Amino acid sequence: MKADAMTGVTEPWSVRQITWYLAIALAVFGLDQITKVAARDFLELHAALPVTPFFNLTLNYNPGVTFGLFAARAPLEAALLLVFTAVVLLAVLVWIVFAGSFTERLGFSLILAGGVSNLVDRYQNGAVTDFIDLHARGWHWPTFNVADIAIVCGVALLLLTLVISPRSSVAHEFTAGALKVDHPWSRATPGGAKVAAGYLRITNTGTEPDRLLGGRFEIADGFEMHQTSLEEGIARMRELMGGIPVPAGETITFEPGRTHIMFTNLRRPLVAGERITGTLRFEKAGEVRVEFTVEKMGGQPDHQAHGSGSAAE
Amino acid sequence: MKALRIVQFSLWALAGFAAVMVVFQYTIASRSIPAPLPIGGPIELMNQHGNRFTQADLEGKPYGVFFGFTHCPEVCPTTLMEVSSLMAQLGDEADKFVPLFVTVDPERDTVDALARYMTSFDPRIVALTGSTDEIASLAKSYRAYFRKVPTGGQGYTMDHTATFYLMDLRGQFSGTLDLHEPAETKLAKLKRLIGAVKG
């Protein structure tokens, strides 16, 4: 489960990421518009142009939505459909901003690009231009276009993230060189609490040792690493000075009851279900951006409870 | 498919094991009623609402005592959450029991700080603060330990006894809740403690 195949790290909603998704969306939009124009110019309505035994280019105008579903027949219905689609796309846009992972955002971007492109088409021509005609044994799949492909791919990506991640707090992973940071998580904090604990797992897949020196948590001033113990009824906490070694080929784990990262001087409480950006600073690998999922108070991360985190790797 | 079957089998095995553990823990826990020990002493502190809270407020009621502090990232919020959940499970019976959260960090845990902190937990939990001396003497009567430990920055943290003391309606020590024991066991202990009020 790579968090981000492109940059290696899932970043928060940064300008750089916006430009990436915008680029992808615009490319899809452009490709779709160009192919539609070409289809309208070079193809004759309903006249199939065979390309392969199962694939024709056939121009068709679809007044409904994707694959001719809910085909609208009256002008009023068409207008309603236009408004409905616009509202749905707006919702998708809002969702992108709050979406967690790379795949989710990419999925939403594809859906948005395809949706907008078809919407523009519908607005300009009163119907959507379809020209891809797949058929087998005389049975034809409803004609579609590039935008439909993008939408389907987007939905598939979203379904994929759902399959991989049954909850928002699923195992998520961040990499920097040979270091792999697995499932950083924290817990919701009580009212006015100034501290929170963070947990994660770091695996050094390389041959060189490294050392976790410290880091940063978006909504806190301080970042300390602590060892905790509960012996003979006494809870103790000791700061681990000088960082924590991450030997080559080994995994170090911050977990309740043993070690945690303590975020000090919290500027606001942590709320279950949200994700908070942070940075880990390593001696060699440098800074690694991560996202901490926030569990409910006293909660455990879902995947640690039955160890599916390691099974997924 | 074979892998799926293995996963399924493991899950069933785990469920079976958990069931055995729960039954075992429950029966063992039901038997271990410790003899009364000279643990505990009179309480006279300030609660999170800014009112004086004394032993008289606990008259005729069993209560629980937990020493902690709000700059505590793990043990304290988890314990308070657990107690809140136990109170919810007790339902009406919970009104016969008073959980106390005594800060060992009165320097930072003022009445206001405790008031804000406690909004996240069952409102029946009484948070208590006072002068360092008052708290030290109460902790001593409970044989509870606490100590200030400096951290890297200008900050500090507290070592503290994290035992949840159970006190009966006469203010006598009658056992403890362990953070790591199953919720069923804790609930059974509380019910037994409260049940004594009726009998």
Side-chain angles (χ1 to χ4, degrees), chain B residues 44-48 51-52 101-112 114 127-131 134-135:
Chain B
E44 199 182 346
L45 292 166
M46 195 79 93
N47 71 12
Q48 75 263 44
N51 301 320
R52 207 73 201 154
F101 171 58
V102 182
T103 181
V104 291
D105 184 14
E107 210 175 303
R108 292 186 293 202
D109 290 341
T110 60
V111 167
D112 284 347
L114 288 178
L128 297 170
T129 187
S131 71
E134 285 172 324
I135 284 167

Side-chain angles (χ1 to χ4, degrees), chain A residues 18-101:
Chain A
I18 292 175
T19 47
W20 258 113
Y21 297 119
L22 202 66
I24 292 167
L26 284 178
V28 169
F29 181 81
L31 187 67
D32 184 56
Q33 290 294 320
I34 290 166
T35 50
K36 278 172 178 166
V37 169
R40 284 195 294 269
D41 282 356
F42 298 114
L43 298 175
E44 271 181 61
L45 191 60
H46 301 313
L49 176 69
V51 180
T52 72
F54 57 89
F55 170 43
N56 295 341
L57 286 176
T58 312
L59 181 62
N60 188 23
Y61 291 111
N62 169 20
V65 294
T66 305
F67 299 135
L69 299 171
F70 323 116
R73 276 161 195 93
L76 176 68
E77 282 177 63
L80 281 177
L81 197 59
L82 197 75
V83 172
F84 172 75
T85 320
V87 169
V88 169
L89 289 178
L90 206 66
V92 170
L93 186 67
V94 172
W95 204 343
I96 291 180
V97 177
F98 293 105
S101 71

Side-chain angles (χ1 to χ4, degrees), chain A residues 16 46 62 72 114 121 253 263 271 308:
Chain A
R16 206 167 117 232
H46 301 313
N62 169 20
D121 205 13
T253 307
F263 311 122
V271 183
S308 72

Side-chain angles (χ1 to χ4, degrees), chain A residues 13-309:
Chain A
W13 198 233
S14 68
V15 174
R16 206 167 117 232
Q17 278 215 323
I18 292 175
T19 47
W20 258 113
Y21 297 119
L22 202 66
I24 292 167
L26 284 178
V28 169
F29 181 81
L31 187 67
D32 184 56
Q33 290 294 320
I34 290 166
T35 50
K36 278 172 178 166
V37 169
R40 284 195 294 269
D41 282 356
F42 298 114
L43 298 175
E44 271 181 61
L45 191 60
H46 301 313
L49 176 69
V51 180
T52 72
F54 57 89
F55 170 43
N56 295 341
L57 286 176
T58 312
L59 181 62
N60 188 23
Y61 291 111
N62 169 20
V65 294
T66 305
F67 299 135
L69 299 171
F70 323 116
R73 276 161 195 93
L76 176 68
E77 282 177 63
L80 281 177
L81 197 59
L82 197 75
V83 172
F84 172 75
T85 320
V87 169
V88 169
L89 289 178
L90 206 66
V92 170
L93 186 67
V94 172
W95 204 343
I96 291 180
V97 177
F98 293 105
S101 71
F102 165 74
T103 21
E104 261 175 273
R105 287 171 180 170
L106 180 63
F108 282 127
S109 302
L110 289 176
I111 293 172
L112 190 71
V116 167
S117 195
N118 275 344
L119 188 69
V120 167
D121 205 13
R122 180 169 293 122
Y123 182 74
Q124 279 183 339
N125 307 307
V128 174
T129 311
D130 289 333
F131 57 91
I132 303 171
D133 178 15
L134 293 183
H135 60 95
R137 295 178 192 182
W139 186 83
H140 290 253
W141 184 262
T143 50
F144 56 99
N145 54 35
V146 174
D148 293 334
I149 297 175
I151 291 170
V152 169
C153 289
V155 170
L157 275 177
L158 290 187
L159 289 179
L160 192 72
T161 57
L162 277 184
V163 170
I164 300 172
S165 47
R167 299 172 42 181
S168 69
S169 62
V170 285
H172 52 295
E173 200 178 282
F174 306 87
T175 52
L179 294 183
K180 227 174 58 183
V181 181
D182 187 30
H183 196 49
W185 63 284
S186 183
R187 285 178 177 140
T189 54
K194 289 287 172 210
V195 297
Y199 309 94
L200 44 81
R201 197 157 44 178
I202 303 166
T203 304
N204 186 344
T205 61
T207 50
E208 289 290 309
D210 206 333
R211 180 178 282 268
L212 176 62
L213 298 175
R216 203 180 54 78
F217 190 60
E218 201 179 37
I219 58 165
D221 292 340
F223 184 107
E224 296 171 3
M225 289 173 279
H226 291 160
Q227 188 159 33
T228 57
S229 66
L230 184 59
E231 278 161 22
E232 289 172 16
I234 298 170
R236 289 192 173 87
M237 212 161 79
R238 289 292 173 272
E239 187 166 5
L240 294 160
M241 305 296 241
I244 297 177
V246 191
E250 286 186 28
T251 298
I252 62 163
T253 307
F254 286 86
E255 60 189 345
R258 290 178 55 192
T259 42
H260 62 237
I261 297 165
M262 188 167 91
F263 311 122
T264 61
N265 241 336
L266 282 183
R267 288 191 285 274
R268 66 168 179 82
L270 300 188
V271 183
E274 67 175 341
R275 286 173 176 232
I276 310 275
T277 308
T279 314
L280 302 178
R281 200 174 72 252
F282 293 93
E283 199 170 56
K284 290 178 187 144
E287 299 220 323
V288 181
R289 297 194 81 143
V290 295
E291 269 177 18
F292 288 85
T293 57
V294 181
E295 303 289 333
K296 64 183 194 329
M297 227 179 282
Q300 291 282 341
D302 192 40
H303 83 286
Q304 275 201 350
H306 33 81
S308 72

Side-chain angles (χ1 to χ4, degrees), chain A residues 190-191 199 233 235 237-239 257 260, chain B residues 74 117 120 152 157 159-162:
Chain A
Y199 309 94
M237 212 161 79
R238 289 292 173 272
E239 187 166 5
H260 62 237
Chain B
E74 197 171 291
Y117 198 73
S120 300
T157 182
D159 285 352
H160 63 101
T161 296

